[in-house]
Coordinates of all heavy atoms in Angstrom, one line a residue:
R1115 N 14.3 -47.0 18.4 CA 13.2 -48.0 18.4 C 12.1 -47.6 19.3 O 10.9 -47.8 18.9 CB 13.7 -49.4 18.6 CG 14.5 -49.7 19.8 CD 15.7 -50.6 19.6 NE 16.9 -49.8 19.4 CZ 17.9 -50.2 18.6 NH1 17.9 -51.3 18.1 NH2 18.9 -49.4 18.5
T1116 N 12.4 -47.1 20.4 CA 11.3 -46.8 21.3 C 10.4 -45.7 20.8 O 9.1 -45.9 20.7 CB 11.8 -46.4 22.7 OG1 12.7 -47.4 23.2 CG2 10.7 -46.2 23.7
R1165 N 10.3 -39.7 27.4 CA 11.6 -40.1 27.7 C 12.4 -38.9 28.2 O 12.4 -37.9 27.5 CB 12.3 -40.8 26.5 CG 13.8 -41.0 26.8 CD 14.4 -41.9 25.7 NE 14.0 -43.2 25.9 CZ 14.6 -44.2 25.2 NH1 15.6 -44.0 24.4 NH2 14.2 -45.5 25.4
H1193 N 12.2 -48.4 32.5 CA 11.8 -48.4 31.1 C 10.8 -49.6 31.0 O 11.1 -50.6 30.4 CB 13.1 -48.7 30.2 CG 12.8 -48.5 28.8 ND1 11.6 -48.2 28.2 CD2 13.7 -48.5 27.7 CE1 11.8 -48.0 26.9 NE2 13.0 -48.3 26.6
Q1196 N 9.9 -51.6 27.8 CA 11.0 -52.5 27.3 C 10.9 -53.8 28.0 O 11.0 -54.9 27.4 CB 12.4 -51.8 27.6 CG 13.5 -52.7 27.2 CD 13.7 -52.8 25.6 OE1 13.5 -51.8 24.9 NE2 14.0 -54.0 25.2
R1235 N 18.3 -48.6 32.8 CA 16.9 -48.6 33.3 C 16.2 -49.9 32.8 O 15.3 -50.3 33.4 CB 16.2 -47.4 32.7 CG 16.4 -47.2 31.2 CD 16.1 -45.8 30.8 NE 16.4 -45.5 29.4 CZ 16.7 -44.3 28.9 NH1 16.8 -43.3 29.7 NH2 16.9 -44.2 27.6
V1236 N 16.8 -50.5 31.8 CA 16.2 -51.8 31.3 C 16.3 -52.9 32.4 O 15.4 -53.6 32.6 CB 16.9 -52.2 30.0 CG1 16.4 -53.6 29.5 CG2 16.7 -51.2 28.9
R1289 N 23.8 -52.9 26.8 CA 24.8 -52.0 26.1 C 25.7 -51.4 27.2 O 25.3 -51.0 28.2 CB 24.1 -51.0 25.3 CG 25.0 -50.0 24.5 CD 24.1 -49.1 23.7 NE 23.3 -48.2 24.5 CZ 23.7 -47.0 24.8 NH1 24.9 -46.5 24.5 NH2 22.9 -46.2 25.5
Q1291 N 27.1 -48.3 28.3 CA 26.5 -46.9 28.0 C 27.6 -45.9 28.2 O 27.7 -45.2 29.2 CB 25.3 -46.7 28.9 CG 24.2 -47.6 28.7 CD 22.9 -47.2 29.2 OE1 22.6 -46.0 29.4 NE2 22.0 -48.1 29.6
E1293 N 28.1 -43.1 27.0 CA 27.7 -41.7 27.1 C 27.3 -41.3 28.6 O 27.3 -40.1 28.9 CB 26.5 -41.3 26.2 CG 25.1 -41.8 26.6 CD 24.8 -43.3 26.3 OE1 25.8 -44.0 26.0 OE2 23.6 -43.6 26.4
P1329 N 18.4 -55.2 24.3 CA 17.4 -54.1 24.0 C 17.8 -53.2 22.9 O 16.9 -52.5 22.3 CB 17.3 -53.4 25.3 CG 18.6 -53.6 26.0 CD 19.1 -55.0 25.6
G1330 N 19.0 -53.3 22.5 CA 19.5 -52.3 21.5 C 19.6 -50.9 22.0 O 19.0 -50.7 23.1
P1331 N 20.4 -50.1 21.5 CA 21.3 -50.3 20.4 C 22.5 -51.1 20.9 O 22.9 -51.0 22.0 CB 21.7 -48.9 20.0 CG 21.5 -48.0 21.2 CD 20.4 -48.7 21.9
Ligands
NCD1603 C1 17.7 -48.8 26.0 C2 17.4 -47.4 26.6 O1 17.3 -46.4 25.9 O2 17.2 -47.5 27.8 N1 17.3 -48.9 24.6 C3 16.0 -49.0 24.3 O3 15.1 -48.3 24.7 N2 15.8 -50.1 23.4 C4 19.0 -49.3 26.3 C5 20.2 -48.5 25.9 O4 20.2 -47.4 25.6 O5 21.3 -49.2 25.9

Side-chain angles (χ1 to χ4, degrees):
R1115 55 219 98 212
T1116 305
R1165 171 168 287 192
H1193 192 356
Q1196 179 70 42
R1235 49 198 175 208
V1236 174
R1289 184 173 67 91
Q1291 300 196 26
E1293 78 280 14

